Amino acid sequence: MPRGLFITLEGLDGSGKTTQIKRLAAWMSRRGLPVAQTRQPGGTGLGDHIRAILLDSRSTDVAPMAEMALMFADRAQAIAEVIRPALDAGTMVLCDRFTDSTEAYQGGGRQLGSEVVLELHRLICGNLQPDLTLLLLPGFEVSLARARRRNDRVEQQTGASEGRFEQEQDDFYHRVWQKYREIAARDTGRVVLIEGDLTIDDVHEQIVEAVAERLVLFDQKA
Ligand code: TYD
């Protein structure tokens, strides 16, 4: 049985990944493809605990290295429990954020650099690489404003604050943004950059085009 395709979605908070991942999953299911959807941090029992610690705005003074180690602990669990078994069973895996997020947020935003992230990825994740990464970078101001609004809404509705990252200053997000662009320029074979203020339908169309191309290659290999 051929291994499933591993597709990741990346971008700033508020870039519209969640909407797009749902639409892509529906598009793939309509074509009869087995699809599993997951997200990081989270997606497993252990991962949900780690997510709660990492995103809670009451978690203060988290050392950048500790933050990165927790992201990788979450990822190691997700790979073992969800991602590898699904891919081995021939299922397509759609993952909302993966190691590019760690490189962008901890490597760029927290200024730990790319090298340590890539080295940990080799050691902890067996260097598992997505077949395709869809990087959504709409306008910087637009995504940040959207993320902050969403966080306020969630907090009002549920009382849960998942806003530790949204509270960061704009210069932190500029560094995240810059690192994402570096990743896209470096890994051109894997990363498809979708940028600018496009409509939800336009972004979906570009995503479907990139995925359809990979599916042709996948069918040829099978
Ligand atoms: P989430 O609510 O999933 O954000 P979004 O819906 O915008 O993707 O929160 C995930 C947050 O965690 C987000 O601010 C990015 C951050 N993050 C890292 O800093 N490093 C990582 O490795 C990952 C996976 C996420």
Side-chain angles (χ1 to χ4, degrees), residues 11-15 17-18 39-41 51 55 67 71-72 74-75 96-103 105-106 147 150 162 165-166 172-173:
L12 284 196
D13 310 73
S15 57
K17 287 180 291 86
T18 311
R39 68 168 176 180
Q40 294 186 355
R51 180 182 174 91
L55 302 194
E67 183 178 272
M71 294 294 180
F72 272 111
D74 164 71
R75 187 160 303 128
D96 191 340
R97 299 192 179 280
F98 194 60
T99 298
D100 292 325
S101 282
T102 315
E103 193 177 346
Y105 283 76
Q106 281 67 51
R150 181 190 57 185
E162 285 205 336
F165 284 94
E166 279 87 347
F172 171 87
Y173 277 102

PDB file of all heavy atoms in Angstrom, residues 11-15 17-18 39-41 51 55 67 71-72 74-75 96-103 105-106 147 150 162 165-166 172-173, ligand 1:
ATOM      1  N   GLY A  11       1.204  29.400   8.624  1.00  0.00           N
ATOM      2  CA  GLY A  11       0.937  30.832   8.451  1.00  0.00           C
ATOM      3  C   GLY A  11       0.828  31.514   9.790  1.00  0.00           C
ATOM      4  O   GLY A  11       0.834  30.860  10.834  1.00  0.00           O
ATOM      5  N   LEU A  12       0.713  32.831   9.751  1.00  0.00           N
ATOM      6  CA  LEU A  12       0.539  33.591  10.992  1.00  0.00           C
ATOM      7  C   LEU A  12      -0.811  33.257  11.601  1.00  0.00           C
ATOM      8  O   LEU A  12      -1.715  32.799  10.905  1.00  0.00           O
ATOM      9  CB  LEU A  12       0.553  35.083  10.695  1.00  0.00           C
ATOM     10  CG  LEU A  12       1.857  35.787  10.393  1.00  0.00           C
ATOM     11  CD1 LEU A  12       1.643  37.292  10.532  1.00  0.00           C
ATOM     12  CD2 LEU A  12       2.975  35.342  11.311  1.00  0.00           C
ATOM     13  N   ASP A  13      -0.959  33.542  12.867  1.00  0.00           N
ATOM     14  CA  ASP A  13      -2.265  33.461  13.522  1.00  0.00           C
ATOM     15  C   ASP A  13      -3.212  34.339  12.708  1.00  0.00           C
ATOM     16  O   ASP A  13      -2.828  35.441  12.303  1.00  0.00           O
ATOM     17  CB  ASP A  13      -2.172  34.015  14.942  1.00  0.00           C
ATOM     18  CG  ASP A  13      -1.011  33.402  15.715  1.00  0.00           C
ATOM     19  OD1 ASP A  13       0.137  33.743  15.417  1.00  0.00           O
ATOM     20  OD2 ASP A  13      -1.267  32.584  16.592  1.00  0.00           O
ATOM     21  N   GLY A  14      -4.419  33.862  12.467  1.00  0.00           N
ATOM     22  CA  GLY A  14      -5.380  34.694  11.738  1.00  0.00           C
ATOM     23  C   GLY A  14      -5.197  34.682  10.235  1.00  0.00           C
ATOM     24  O   GLY A  14      -5.760  35.509   9.525  1.00  0.00           O
ATOM     25  N   SER A  15      -4.416  33.707   9.725  1.00  0.00           N
ATOM     26  CA  SER A  15      -4.186  33.680   8.279  1.00  0.00           C
ATOM     27  C   SER A  15      -5.265  32.889   7.545  1.00  0.00           C
ATOM     28  O   SER A  15      -5.241  32.791   6.322  1.00  0.00           O
ATOM     29  CB  SER A  15      -2.807  33.091   7.970  1.00  0.00           C
ATOM     30  OG  SER A  15      -2.702  31.803   8.532  1.00  0.00           O
ATOM     31  N   LYS A  17      -6.026  29.544   8.145  1.00  0.00           N
ATOM     32  CA  LYS A  17      -5.685  28.130   7.957  1.00  0.00           C
ATOM     33  C   LYS A  17      -6.836  27.197   8.313  1.00  0.00           C
ATOM     34  O   LYS A  17      -7.073  26.213   7.625  1.00  0.00           O
ATOM     35  CB  LYS A  17      -4.515  27.718   8.855  1.00  0.00           C
ATOM     36  CG  LYS A  17      -3.180  28.248   8.429  1.00  0.00           C
ATOM     37  CD  LYS A  17      -2.083  27.795   9.381  1.00  0.00           C
ATOM     38  CE  LYS A  17      -2.164  28.397  10.733  1.00  0.00           C
ATOM     39  NZ  LYS A  17      -2.979  27.781  11.723  1.00  0.00           N
ATOM     40  N   THR A  18      -7.502  27.522   9.416  1.00  0.00           N
ATOM     41  CA  THR A  18      -8.531  26.602   9.914  1.00  0.00           C
ATOM     42  C   THR A  18      -9.664  26.436   8.906  1.00  0.00           C
ATOM     43  O   THR A  18     -10.104  25.313   8.634  1.00  0.00           O
ATOM     44  CB  THR A  18      -9.061  27.111  11.270  1.00  0.00           C
ATOM     45  OG1 THR A  18      -7.919  27.408  12.074  1.00  0.00           O
ATOM     46  CG2 THR A  18      -9.907  26.088  11.978  1.00  0.00           C
ATOM     47  N   ARG A  39      -3.873  18.864  14.368  1.00  0.00           N
ATOM     48  CA  ARG A  39      -3.281  20.194  14.532  1.00  0.00           C
ATOM     49  C   ARG A  39      -2.207  20.169  15.600  1.00  0.00           C
ATOM     50  O   ARG A  39      -2.178  19.273  16.449  1.00  0.00           O
ATOM     51  CB  ARG A  39      -4.348  21.200  14.941  1.00  0.00           C
ATOM     52  CG  ARG A  39      -4.880  20.955  16.340  1.00  0.00           C
ATOM     53  CD  ARG A  39      -5.714  22.110  16.822  1.00  0.00           C
ATOM     54  NE  ARG A  39      -6.283  21.818  18.130  1.00  0.00           N
ATOM     55  CZ  ARG A  39      -7.055  22.651  18.809  1.00  0.00           C
ATOM     56  NH1 ARG A  39      -7.371  23.801  18.296  1.00  0.00           N
ATOM     57  NH2 ARG A  39      -7.520  22.334  19.988  1.00  0.00           N
ATOM     58  N   GLN A  40      -1.316  21.162  15.533  1.00  0.00           N
ATOM     59  CA  GLN A  40      -0.263  21.268  16.547  1.00  0.00           C
ATOM     60  C   GLN A  40      -0.209  22.690  17.085  1.00  0.00           C
ATOM     61  O   GLN A  40      -0.339  23.622  16.289  1.00  0.00           O
ATOM     62  CB  GLN A  40       1.087  20.877  15.941  1.00  0.00           C
ATOM     63  CG  GLN A  40       1.095  19.417  15.578  1.00  0.00           C
ATOM     64  CD  GLN A  40       2.435  18.893  15.100  1.00  0.00           C
ATOM     65  OE1 GLN A  40       3.395  19.644  14.947  1.00  0.00           O
ATOM     66  NE2 GLN A  40       2.485  17.597  14.866  1.00  0.00           N
ATOM     67  N   PRO A  41       0.020  22.895  18.376  1.00  0.00           N
ATOM     68  CA  PRO A  41       0.053  21.828  19.370  1.00  0.00           C
ATOM     69  C   PRO A  41      -1.350  21.253  19.596  1.00  0.00           C
ATOM     70  O   PRO A  41      -2.330  21.934  19.363  1.00  0.00           O
ATOM     71  CB  PRO A  41       0.577  22.529  20.629  1.00  0.00           C
ATOM     72  CG  PRO A  41       0.314  23.978  20.435  1.00  0.00           C
ATOM     73  CD  PRO A  41       0.272  24.224  18.968  1.00  0.00           C
ATOM     74  N   ARG A  51      -0.821  21.762  24.859  1.00  0.00           N
ATOM     75  CA  ARG A  51      -1.421  22.947  24.225  1.00  0.00           C
ATOM     76  C   ARG A  51      -1.968  23.924  25.283  1.00  0.00           C
ATOM     77  O   ARG A  51      -1.772  25.131  25.200  1.00  0.00           O
ATOM     78  CB  ARG A  51      -2.548  22.502  23.282  1.00  0.00           C
ATOM     79  CG  ARG A  51      -3.222  23.658  22.578  1.00  0.00           C
ATOM     80  CD  ARG A  51      -4.367  23.189  21.672  1.00  0.00           C
ATOM     81  NE  ARG A  51      -5.051  24.344  21.156  1.00  0.00           N
ATOM     82  CZ  ARG A  51      -4.740  24.957  20.015  1.00  0.00           C
ATOM     83  NH1 ARG A  51      -3.781  24.488  19.255  1.00  0.00           N
ATOM     84  NH2 ARG A  51      -5.382  26.037  19.634  1.00  0.00           N
ATOM     85  N   LEU A  55      -0.564  27.745  25.366  1.00  0.00           N
ATOM     86  CA  LEU A  55      -1.367  28.856  24.847  1.00  0.00           C
ATOM     87  C   LEU A  55      -2.021  29.688  25.941  1.00  0.00           C
ATOM     88  O   LEU A  55      -2.509  30.783  25.675  1.00  0.00           O
ATOM     89  CB  LEU A  55      -2.440  28.344  23.877  1.00  0.00           C
ATOM     90  CG  LEU A  55      -1.943  27.555  22.661  1.00  0.00           C
ATOM     91  CD1 LEU A  55      -3.059  27.418  21.634  1.00  0.00           C
ATOM     92  CD2 LEU A  55      -0.731  28.188  22.005  1.00  0.00           C
ATOM     93  N   GLU A  67       9.740  26.399  25.879  1.00  0.00           N
ATOM     94  CA  GLU A  67       8.611  26.478  24.937  1.00  0.00           C
ATOM     95  C   GLU A  67       8.877  25.587  23.718  1.00  0.00           C
ATOM     96  O   GLU A  67       8.018  24.805  23.297  1.00  0.00           O
ATOM     97  CB  GLU A  67       8.453  27.938  24.514  1.00  0.00           C
ATOM     98  CG  GLU A  67       7.285  28.194  23.594  1.00  0.00           C
ATOM     99  CD  GLU A  67       7.192  29.684  23.277  1.00  0.00           C
ATOM    100  OE1 GLU A  67       6.546  30.408  24.044  1.00  0.00           O
ATOM    101  OE2 GLU A  67       7.788  30.119  22.269  1.00  0.00           O
ATOM    102  N   MET A  71       6.917  22.155  22.356  1.00  0.00           N
ATOM    103  CA  MET A  71       6.395  22.014  20.984  1.00  0.00           C
ATOM    104  C   MET A  71       6.869  20.688  20.379  1.00  0.00           C
ATOM    105  O   MET A  71       6.117  19.978  19.722  1.00  0.00           O
ATOM    106  CB  MET A  71       6.859  23.169  20.080  1.00  0.00           C
ATOM    107  CG  MET A  71       6.323  24.535  20.455  1.00  0.00           C
ATOM    108  SD  MET A  71       4.528  24.654  20.231  1.00  0.00           S
ATOM    109  CE  MET A  71       4.237  26.361  20.762  1.00  0.00           C
ATOM    110  N   PHE A  72       8.128  20.358  20.639  1.00  0.00           N
ATOM    111  CA  PHE A  72       8.651  19.105  20.076  1.00  0.00           C
ATOM    112  C   PHE A  72       8.105  17.876  20.811  1.00  0.00           C
ATOM    113  O   PHE A  72       7.911  16.821  20.198  1.00  0.00           O
ATOM    114  CB  PHE A  72      10.179  19.107  20.057  1.00  0.00           C
ATOM    115  CG  PHE A  72      10.732  19.711  18.787  1.00  0.00           C
ATOM    116  CD1 PHE A  72      11.384  20.924  18.799  1.00  0.00           C
ATOM    117  CD2 PHE A  72      10.555  19.068  17.565  1.00  0.00           C
ATOM    118  CE1 PHE A  72      11.868  21.494  17.620  1.00  0.00           C
ATOM    119  CE2 PHE A  72      11.031  19.618  16.380  1.00  0.00           C
ATOM    120  CZ  PHE A  72      11.688  20.830  16.409  1.00  0.00           C
ATOM    121  N   ASP A  74       5.131  17.635  22.027  1.00  0.00           N
ATOM    122  CA  ASP A  74       3.799  17.504  21.423  1.00  0.00           C
ATOM    123  C   ASP A  74       3.899  16.830  20.053  1.00  0.00           C
ATOM    124  O   ASP A  74       3.139  15.917  19.715  1.00  0.00           O
ATOM    125  CB  ASP A  74       3.201  18.917  21.273  1.00  0.00           C
ATOM    126  CG  ASP A  74       2.020  18.941  20.331  1.00  0.00           C
ATOM    127  OD1 ASP A  74       0.967  18.407  20.714  1.00  0.00           O
ATOM    128  OD2 ASP A  74       2.151  19.469  19.218  1.00  0.00           O
ATOM    129  N   ARG A  75       4.890  17.267  19.282  1.00  0.00           N
ATOM    130  CA  ARG A  75       5.025  16.761  17.904  1.00  0.00           C
ATOM    131  C   ARG A  75       5.450  15.290  17.893  1.00  0.00           C
ATOM    132  O   ARG A  75       4.951  14.502  17.077  1.00  0.00           O
ATOM    133  CB  ARG A  75       6.051  17.631  17.160  1.00  0.00           C
ATOM    134  CG  ARG A  75       6.184  17.338  15.688  1.00  0.00           C
ATOM    135  CD  ARG A  75       6.809  18.520  14.960  1.00  0.00           C
ATOM    136  NE  ARG A  75       6.038  19.716  15.178  1.00  0.00           N
ATOM    137  CZ  ARG A  75       6.543  20.883  15.611  1.00  0.00           C
ATOM    138  NH1 ARG A  75       7.838  21.004  15.845  1.00  0.00           N
ATOM    139  NH2 ARG A  75       5.751  21.915  15.801  1.00  0.00           N
ATOM    140  N   ASP A  96      -2.510  21.037  10.731  1.00  0.00           N
ATOM    141  CA  ASP A  96      -2.521  22.481  10.944  1.00  0.00           C
ATOM    142  C   ASP A  96      -1.292  22.821  11.796  1.00  0.00           C
ATOM    143  O   ASP A  96      -1.298  22.574  12.991  1.00  0.00           O
ATOM    144  CB  ASP A  96      -3.829  22.830  11.683  1.00  0.00           C
ATOM    145  CG  ASP A  96      -4.096  24.311  11.748  1.00  0.00           C
ATOM    146  OD1 ASP A  96      -3.148  25.099  11.572  1.00  0.00           O
ATOM    147  OD2 ASP A  96      -5.259  24.681  11.980  1.00  0.00           O
ATOM    148  N   ARG A  97      -0.246  23.291  11.151  1.00  0.00           N
ATOM    149  CA  ARG A  97       1.066  23.622  11.738  1.00  0.00           C
ATOM    150  C   ARG A  97       1.918  22.371  11.963  1.00  0.00           C
ATOM    151  O   ARG A  97       1.414  21.320  12.339  1.00  0.00           O
ATOM    152  CB  ARG A  97       0.954  24.381  13.065  1.00  0.00           C
ATOM    153  CG  ARG A  97       0.245  25.727  12.964  1.00  0.00           C
ATOM    154  CD  ARG A  97       0.435  26.532  14.251  1.00  0.00           C
ATOM    155  NE  ARG A  97      -0.210  27.829  14.185  1.00  0.00           N
ATOM    156  CZ  ARG A  97       0.310  28.884  13.562  1.00  0.00           C
ATOM    157  NH1 ARG A  97       1.465  28.782  12.972  1.00  0.00           N
ATOM    158  NH2 ARG A  97      -0.335  30.038  13.541  1.00  0.00           N
ATOM    159  N   PHE A  98       3.230  22.546  11.735  1.00  0.00           N
ATOM    160  CA  PHE A  98       4.201  21.479  11.980  1.00  0.00           C
ATOM    161  C   PHE A  98       5.532  22.180  12.282  1.00  0.00           C
ATOM    162  O   PHE A  98       5.526  23.306  12.791  1.00  0.00           O
ATOM    163  CB  PHE A  98       4.245  20.559  10.739  1.00  0.00           C
ATOM    164  CG  PHE A  98       4.947  19.237  10.940  1.00  0.00           C
ATOM    165  CD1 PHE A  98       4.506  18.317  11.884  1.00  0.00           C
ATOM    166  CD2 PHE A  98       6.062  18.893  10.180  1.00  0.00           C
ATOM    167  CE1 PHE A  98       5.155  17.103  12.070  1.00  0.00           C
ATOM    168  CE2 PHE A  98       6.717  17.678  10.342  1.00  0.00           C
ATOM    169  CZ  PHE A  98       6.265  16.783  11.290  1.00  0.00           C
ATOM    170  N   THR A  99       6.659  21.566  11.950  1.00  0.00           N
ATOM    171  CA  THR A  99       7.949  22.122  12.398  1.00  0.00           C
ATOM    172  C   THR A  99       8.251  23.505  11.819  1.00  0.00           C
ATOM    173  O   THR A  99       8.987  24.287  12.433  1.00  0.00           O
ATOM    174  CB  THR A  99       9.073  21.107  12.103  1.00  0.00           C
ATOM    175  OG1 THR A  99       8.773  19.930  12.864  1.00  0.00           O
ATOM    176  CG2 THR A  99      10.436  21.622  12.511  1.00  0.00           C
ATOM    177  N   ASP A 100       7.681  23.855  10.668  1.00  0.00           N
ATOM    178  CA  ASP A 100       7.893  25.222  10.158  1.00  0.00           C
ATOM    179  C   ASP A 100       7.401  26.248  11.172  1.00  0.00           C
ATOM    180  O   ASP A 100       7.967  27.342  11.274  1.00  0.00           O
ATOM    181  CB  ASP A 100       7.151  25.441   8.829  1.00  0.00           C
ATOM    182  CG  ASP A 100       7.739  24.613   7.701  1.00  0.00           C
ATOM    183  OD1 ASP A 100       8.974  24.412   7.683  1.00  0.00           O
ATOM    184  OD2 ASP A 100       6.969  24.167   6.826  1.00  0.00           O
ATOM    185  N   SER A 101       6.332  25.912  11.923  1.00  0.00           N
ATOM    186  CA  SER A 101       5.851  26.844  12.950  1.00  0.00           C
ATOM    187  C   SER A 101       6.910  27.031  14.026  1.00  0.00           C
ATOM    188  O   SER A 101       7.120  28.143  14.519  1.00  0.00           O
ATOM    189  CB  SER A 101       4.570  26.320  13.614  1.00  0.00           C
ATOM    190  OG  SER A 101       3.456  26.535  12.799  1.00  0.00           O
ATOM    191  N   THR A 102       7.563  25.942  14.414  1.00  0.00           N
ATOM    192  CA  THR A 102       8.604  26.069  15.445  1.00  0.00           C
ATOM    193  C   THR A 102       9.769  26.896  14.908  1.00  0.00           C
ATOM    194  O   THR A 102      10.338  27.731  15.612  1.00  0.00           O
ATOM    195  CB  THR A 102       9.100  24.673  15.889  1.00  0.00           C
ATOM    196  OG1 THR A 102       7.969  23.831  16.098  1.00  0.00           O
ATOM    197  CG2 THR A 102       9.899  24.759  17.174  1.00  0.00           C
ATOM    198  N   GLU A 103      10.098  26.660  13.634  1.00  0.00           N
ATOM    199  CA  GLU A 103      11.203  27.449  13.068  1.00  0.00           C
ATOM    200  C   GLU A 103      10.814  28.937  13.010  1.00  0.00           C
ATOM    201  O   GLU A 103      11.618  29.819  13.315  1.00  0.00           O
ATOM    202  CB  GLU A 103      11.587  26.919  11.676  1.00  0.00           C
ATOM    203  CG  GLU A 103      12.903  27.503  11.218  1.00  0.00           C
ATOM    204  CD  GLU A 103      13.400  26.978   9.876  1.00  0.00           C
ATOM    205  OE1 GLU A 103      12.895  25.950   9.368  1.00  0.00           O
ATOM    206  OE2 GLU A 103      14.315  27.628   9.322  1.00  0.00           O
ATOM    207  N   TYR A 105       8.242  30.610  14.769  1.00  0.00           N
ATOM    208  CA  TYR A 105       7.895  31.260  16.049  1.00  0.00           C
ATOM    209  C   TYR A 105       9.039  31.209  17.065  1.00  0.00           C
ATOM    210  O   TYR A 105       9.346  32.204  17.702  1.00  0.00           O
ATOM    211  CB  TYR A 105       6.631  30.621  16.647  1.00  0.00           C
ATOM    212  CG  TYR A 105       5.358  31.068  15.971  1.00  0.00           C
ATOM    213  CD1 TYR A 105       5.001  30.562  14.724  1.00  0.00           C
ATOM    214  CD2 TYR A 105       4.512  31.997  16.556  1.00  0.00           C
ATOM    215  CE1 TYR A 105       3.836  30.967  14.092  1.00  0.00           C
ATOM    216  CE2 TYR A 105       3.340  32.403  15.936  1.00  0.00           C
ATOM    217  CZ  TYR A 105       3.003  31.885  14.701  1.00  0.00           C
ATOM    218  OH  TYR A 105       1.852  32.294  14.079  1.00  0.00           O
ATOM    219  N   GLN A 106       9.615  29.987  17.252  1.00  0.00           N
ATOM    220  CA  GLN A 106      10.689  29.911  18.248  1.00  0.00           C
ATOM    221  C   GLN A 106      12.036  30.302  17.614  1.00  0.00           C
ATOM    222  O   GLN A 106      12.810  31.039  18.204  1.00  0.00           O
ATOM    223  CB  GLN A 106      10.766  28.500  18.860  1.00  0.00           C
ATOM    224  CG  GLN A 106       9.714  28.231  19.932  1.00  0.00           C
ATOM    225  CD  GLN A 106       8.282  28.188  19.387  1.00  0.00           C
ATOM    226  OE1 GLN A 106       8.001  27.491  18.420  1.00  0.00           O
ATOM    227  NE2 GLN A 106       7.393  28.961  20.005  1.00  0.00           N
ATOM    228  N   ALA A 147      -6.531  37.749  14.252  1.00  0.00           N
ATOM    229  CA  ALA A 147      -6.177  36.824  15.340  1.00  0.00           C
ATOM    230  C   ALA A 147      -6.529  37.420  16.692  1.00  0.00           C
ATOM    231  O   ALA A 147      -7.048  36.745  17.573  1.00  0.00           O
ATOM    232  CB  ALA A 147      -4.688  36.507  15.282  1.00  0.00           C
ATOM    233  N   ARG A 150     -10.291  37.413  17.202  1.00  0.00           N
ATOM    234  CA  ARG A 150     -10.778  36.053  17.459  1.00  0.00           C
ATOM    235  C   ARG A 150     -10.486  35.639  18.897  1.00  0.00           C
ATOM    236  O   ARG A 150     -11.312  35.067  19.580  1.00  0.00           O
ATOM    237  CB  ARG A 150     -10.083  35.074  16.486  1.00  0.00           C
ATOM    238  CG  ARG A 150     -10.538  33.641  16.655  1.00  0.00           C
ATOM    239  CD  ARG A 150      -9.684  32.683  15.888  1.00  0.00           C
ATOM    240  NE  ARG A 150      -8.287  32.803  16.288  1.00  0.00           N
ATOM    241  CZ  ARG A 150      -7.289  32.147  15.722  1.00  0.00           C
ATOM    242  NH1 ARG A 150      -7.518  31.361  14.710  1.00  0.00           N
ATOM    243  NH2 ARG A 150      -6.050  32.282  16.141  1.00  0.00           N
ATOM    244  N   GLU A 162      -6.584  31.543  25.074  1.00  0.00           N
ATOM    245  CA  GLU A 162      -5.532  30.828  24.358  1.00  0.00           C
ATOM    246  C   GLU A 162      -4.630  31.875  23.713  1.00  0.00           C
ATOM    247  O   GLU A 162      -4.088  31.674  22.656  1.00  0.00           O
ATOM    248  CB  GLU A 162      -6.144  29.917  23.289  1.00  0.00           C
ATOM    249  CG  GLU A 162      -6.780  28.662  23.851  1.00  0.00           C
ATOM    250  CD  GLU A 162      -6.827  27.525  22.838  1.00  0.00           C
ATOM    251  OE1 GLU A 162      -6.806  27.806  21.628  1.00  0.00           O
ATOM    252  OE2 GLU A 162      -6.859  26.364  23.272  1.00  0.00           O
ATOM    253  N   PHE A 165       0.270  33.785  22.612  1.00  0.00           N
ATOM    254  CA  PHE A 165       1.042  34.245  21.453  1.00  0.00           C
ATOM    255  C   PHE A 165       0.474  35.541  20.877  1.00  0.00           C
ATOM    256  O   PHE A 165       1.232  36.420  20.471  1.00  0.00           O
ATOM    257  CB  PHE A 165       1.132  33.155  20.386  1.00  0.00           C
ATOM    258  CG  PHE A 165       2.108  32.076  20.754  1.00  0.00           C
ATOM    259  CD1 PHE A 165       1.691  30.928  21.406  1.00  0.00           C
ATOM    260  CD2 PHE A 165       3.459  32.223  20.492  1.00  0.00           C
ATOM    261  CE1 PHE A 165       2.594  29.943  21.789  1.00  0.00           C
ATOM    262  CE2 PHE A 165       4.381  31.253  20.857  1.00  0.00           C
ATOM    263  CZ  PHE A 165       3.947  30.100  21.502  1.00  0.00           C
ATOM    264  N   GLU A 166      -0.867  35.659  20.878  1.00  0.00           N
ATOM    265  CA  GLU A 166      -1.473  36.873  20.314  1.00  0.00           C
ATOM    266  C   GLU A 166      -1.087  38.121  21.101  1.00  0.00           C
ATOM    267  O   GLU A 166      -1.200  39.230  20.609  1.00  0.00           O
ATOM    268  CB  GLU A 166      -3.012  36.755  20.248  1.00  0.00           C
ATOM    269  CG  GLU A 166      -3.537  35.968  19.065  1.00  0.00           C
ATOM    270  CD  GLU A 166      -3.604  34.475  19.336  1.00  0.00           C
ATOM    271  OE1 GLU A 166      -3.031  34.014  20.342  1.00  0.00           O
ATOM    272  OE2 GLU A 166      -4.223  33.755  18.520  1.00  0.00           O
ATOM    273  N   PHE A 172       7.732  40.872  17.254  1.00  0.00           N
ATOM    274  CA  PHE A 172       7.806  39.408  17.340  1.00  0.00           C
ATOM    275  C   PHE A 172       7.191  38.811  16.069  1.00  0.00           C
ATOM    276  O   PHE A 172       7.794  37.958  15.409  1.00  0.00           O
ATOM    277  CB  PHE A 172       7.040  38.923  18.583  1.00  0.00           C
ATOM    278  CG  PHE A 172       6.851  37.424  18.686  1.00  0.00           C
ATOM    279  CD1 PHE A 172       7.823  36.634  19.279  1.00  0.00           C
ATOM    280  CD2 PHE A 172       5.706  36.805  18.190  1.00  0.00           C
ATOM    281  CE1 PHE A 172       7.665  35.247  19.373  1.00  0.00           C
ATOM    282  CE2 PHE A 172       5.532  35.420  18.274  1.00  0.00           C
ATOM    283  CZ  PHE A 172       6.518  34.650  18.877  1.00  0.00           C
ATOM    284  N   TYR A 173       6.003  39.300  15.698  1.00  0.00           N
ATOM    285  CA  TYR A 173       5.321  38.760  14.514  1.00  0.00           C
ATOM    286  C   TYR A 173       6.040  39.101  13.213  1.00  0.00           C
ATOM    287  O   TYR A 173       5.995  38.333  12.255  1.00  0.00           O
ATOM    288  CB  TYR A 173       3.852  39.223  14.490  1.00  0.00           C
ATOM    289  CG  TYR A 173       3.018  38.316  15.356  1.00  0.00           C
ATOM    290  CD1 TYR A 173       2.613  38.698  16.619  1.00  0.00           C
ATOM    291  CD2 TYR A 173       2.722  37.025  14.937  1.00  0.00           C
ATOM    292  CE1 TYR A 173       1.898  37.836  17.431  1.00  0.00           C
ATOM    293  CE2 TYR A 173       2.012  36.155  15.741  1.00  0.00           C
ATOM    294  CZ  TYR A 173       1.597  36.566  16.985  1.00  0.00           C
ATOM    295  OH  TYR A 173       0.914  35.699  17.775  1.00  0.00           O
TER     296      TYR A 173
HETATM  297  P1  TYD B   1      -3.609  28.092  17.395  1.00  0.00           P
HETATM  298  O1  TYD B   1      -4.796  28.552  18.171  1.00  0.00           O
HETATM  299  O2  TYD B   1      -3.577  26.723  16.847  1.00  0.00           O
HETATM  300  O3  TYD B   1      -3.293  29.179  16.323  1.00  0.00           O
HETATM  301  P2  TYD B   1      -3.801  29.298  14.864  1.00  0.00           P
HETATM  302  O4  TYD B   1      -5.251  28.897  14.848  1.00  0.00           O
HETATM  303  O5  TYD B   1      -3.560  30.722  14.589  1.00  0.00           O
HETATM  304  O6  TYD B   1      -2.903  28.380  14.122  1.00  0.00           O
HETATM  305  O7  TYD B   1      -2.348  28.357  18.299  1.00  0.00           O
HETATM  306  C1  TYD B   1      -1.120  27.885  18.018  1.00  0.00           C
HETATM  307  C2  TYD B   1      -0.115  28.921  18.490  1.00  0.00           C
HETATM  308  O8  TYD B   1       1.083  28.260  18.822  1.00  0.00           O
HETATM  309  C3  TYD B   1       0.199  29.917  17.404  1.00  0.00           C
HETATM  310  O9  TYD B   1       0.273  31.219  17.945  1.00  0.00           O
HETATM  311  C4  TYD B   1       1.568  29.516  16.939  1.00  0.00           C
HETATM  312  C5  TYD B   1       2.155  28.836  18.124  1.00  0.00           C
HETATM  313  N1  TYD B   1       3.124  27.766  17.778  1.00  0.00           N
HETATM  314  C6  TYD B   1       4.474  27.962  18.023  1.00  0.00           C
HETATM  315  O10 TYD B   1       4.872  29.016  18.526  1.00  0.00           O
HETATM  316  N2  TYD B   1       5.365  26.963  17.707  1.00  0.00           N
HETATM  317  C7  TYD B   1       4.958  25.771  17.173  1.00  0.00           C
HETATM  318  O11 TYD B   1       5.798  24.886  16.913  1.00  0.00           O
HETATM  319  C8  TYD B   1       3.552  25.585  16.930  1.00  0.00           C
HETATM  320  C9  TYD B   1       3.067  24.280  16.358  1.00  0.00           C
HETATM  321  C10 TYD B   1       2.670  26.595  17.248  1.00  0.00           C
END
